[in-house]
Amino acid sequence: MEPKCELGAMTSSHVLGTSSESIIIDRFSDLPDEIAHHILSFHCGILMNLIREGAVSKRCRQLYLSLPSLIIVSGHVSNCTRSRVRLMNYWDRYLFHRGDNKIECFGICWSFDAAVNAEISDEFFRITTWIQNAVRCNVKVLHLEFTQNNLNIVVLPSCIFHCHSLTELYVNLSGGDIQSPSLSFSSNLQHLELKDAMLEDDQFFEWISSSCKCIKELRLENVSGIKDITIESSSLEIFIYLFPFNNYELWDLNISGEKLEEIIILWHFDSNDDSRRGLIPRIRSLNIPAPKLKKITWGGNFLDHQHLGNLMCLEEAKIFLVPDLDDFNNPFEVLCSIRC
């Protein structure tokens, strides 16, 4: 009987020894949330990786549902396929289970291809709910980039401009519309960039002047639909306006700011276009009262009137303007308008 007991004891100790040696230490679960979130952020745009990581353990699921940064990308998934519908369903479920966990940074890069209009409208409706979800979760940085191949279905949700937690907003709509927010809603935006968008009216700039008291940088690139840009801001430090193609709509550009330090303007148009169309020539003007301006870069065409005020702090001026062949007074007027 004794040999059997010894054999049993040996076997038991051997098994215990093997079990203790084969225990895998979960170092990831022991990491602070900030570090664990940073590691998971490298997969924030690859949903399947997030789902796999969320299934590893209860701790991983909590982390994956509380990621502070998310990027949703349509990638190379073609339109009107099961894979595309499945991708949207995944994100619907993820955001539903995430609940009200705070979102620091939220990005959507989505491509709409020509297909059945009803299906495209349904896609954009679902994407709008994702944006509303981010706003509800007090998003701070919002990056939206849509490619729609001239479908013109994208209209930016107005709830974005009513989000008090939002400090940075980048929008590329590929020709989509932006509705002017109500002047009664204040904003904490500090950085705003609009690209390839259509504004409904000039009220958008009234909103910036009256409601965006914290804005420091404003960048407008290929933004159309406006005749007059007038901004008066006590916080704006950098203003960038880029329209490298012929812009026949804009007549007046007026930027006033006591903290403005840098201005970049690229404003192209064909001054002879009005006469060719039999229209009354438009008077185009630029007015920049900015006493603390340090850098100015100005390219495009000469204007009918320009006034840059007393630039007592100006350190650098780059001017690349194309005069009309029969007008030699404009260059002298521009130089006189820059008083240092």
Side-chain angles (χ1 to χ4, degrees):
M1 295 295 292
E2 290 182 0
K4 291 184 178 180
C5 291
E6 291 178 0
L7 179 60
M10 290 176 61
T11 304
S12 176
S13 64
H14 176 72
V15 172
L16 289 174
T18 303
S19 299
S20 62
E21 290 175 1
S22 62
I23 293 176
I24 300 176
I25 300 175
D26 183 5
R27 299 185 184 277
F28 183 78
S29 295
D30 293 333
L31 293 173
D33 287 356
E34 295 78 8
I35 298 177
H37 280 147
H38 180 71
I39 295 173
L40 288 177
S41 68
F42 292 103
H43 290 160
C44 64
I46 306 175
L47 184 60
M48 292 308 300
N49 288 347
L50 290 178
I51 293 174
R52 293 188 186 103
E53 288 161 355
V56 171
S57 67
K58 183 178 180 180
R59 162 72 169 163
C60 288
R61 180 172 175 79
Q62 292 173 344
L63 289 170
Y64 126 95
L65 288 176
S66 60
L67 276 171
S69 299
L70 289 172
I71 300 176
I72 299 178
V73 182
S74 63
H76 300 290
V77 181
S78 60
N79 206 10
C80 298
T81 64
R82 292 183 178 179
S83 298
R84 192 176 182 91
V85 174
R86 190 181 301 117
L87 175 64
M88 301 192 77
N89 290 339
Y90 279 144
W91 280 114
D92 284 340
R93 286 195 293 270
Y94 172 81
L95 293 172
F96 173 79
H97 289 296
R98 181 186 175 92
D100 294 329
N101 282 324
K102 189 175 181 180
I103 298 178
E104 295 281 339
C105 180
F106 188 66
I108 301 178
C109 298
W110 200 267
S111 177
F112 297 95
D113 296 324
V116 180
N117 289 334
E119 294 176 351
I120 297 176
S121 298
D122 178 66
E123 275 194 14
F124 185 66
F125 173 78
R126 295 173 71 174
I127 290 173
T128 300
T129 63
W130 300 345
I131 297 174
Q132 293 170 344
N133 186 292
V135 170
R136 188 183 72 249
C137 294
N138 296 318
V139 64
K140 288 187 176 181
V141 180
L142 189 58
H143 183 116
L144 304 175
E145 188 167 354
F146 299 115
T147 303
Q148 52 178 337
N149 299 325
N150 299 318
L151 294 174
N152 295 325
I153 64 165
V154 174
V155 179
L156 201 66
S158 59
C159 66
I160 293 175
F161 300 110
H162 304 160
C163 180
H164 291 288
S165 61
L166 192 63
T167 58
E168 296 184 29
L169 175 61
Y170 169 86
V171 176
N172 183 345
L173 298 186
S174 297
D177 293 337
I178 296 179
Q179 297 177 341
S180 297
S182 172
L183 299 179
S184 61
F185 288 97
S186 61
S187 170
N188 292 315
L189 272 176
Q190 296 181 15
H191 302 273
L192 174 58
E193 182 172 347
L194 305 180
K195 183 177 180 180
D196 293 333
M198 174 78 71
L199 294 178
E200 291 187 345
D201 50 47
D202 301 339
Q203 182 177 313
F204 186 85
F205 300 107
E206 293 182 36
W207 174 76
I208 291 178
S209 299
S210 63
S211 302
C212 298
K213 300 301 183 180
C214 304
I215 192 164
K216 295 181 179 180
E217 181 175 353
L218 175 61
R219 181 186 177 101
L220 307 173
E221 184 173 352
N222 295 339
V223 175
S224 56
I226 44 179
K227 295 181 180 179
D228 176 34
I229 297 178
T230 300
I231 299 175
E232 297 180 6
S233 173
S234 59
S235 61
L236 191 63
E237 298 176 2
I238 300 175
F239 174 77
I240 301 173
Y241 176 81
L242 304 176
F243 208 108
F245 310 106
N246 285 336
N247 184 351
Y248 302 108
E249 299 174 317
L250 185 62
W251 294 3
D252 299 301
L253 180 55
N254 305 286
I255 308 297
S256 175
E258 57 191 51
K259 292 185 178 181
L260 265 174
E261 294 186 356
E262 182 175 4
I263 289 179
I264 300 176
I265 296 174
L266 182 58
W267 182 2
H268 279 287
F269 57 87
D270 186 350
S271 58
N272 297 317
D273 183 71
D274 293 333
S275 59
R276 286 197 295 265
R277 296 184 183 185
L279 302 175
I280 299 176
R282 300 174 182 176
I283 306 300
R284 294 179 172 88
S285 63
L286 173 67
N287 185 32
I288 306 177
K292 295 184 179 180
L293 192 66
K294 294 181 179 180
K295 297 181 181 180
I296 181 171
T297 302
W298 179 13
N301 297 80
F302 280 99
L303 306 173
D304 298 290
H305 300 290
Q306 46 271 319
H307 176 67
L308 304 183
N310 294 315
L311 306 179
M312 304 302 295
C313 301
L314 189 64
E315 299 175 356
E316 181 179 299
K318 299 179 181 179
I319 301 176
F320 312 93
L321 299 177
V322 180
D324 293 333
L325 295 178
D326 56 349
D327 191 349
F328 300 99
N329 294 321
N330 265 332
F332 179 74
E333 183 180 346
V334 169
L335 294 175
C336 290
S337 69
I338 304 177
R339 298 196 298 273
C340 302

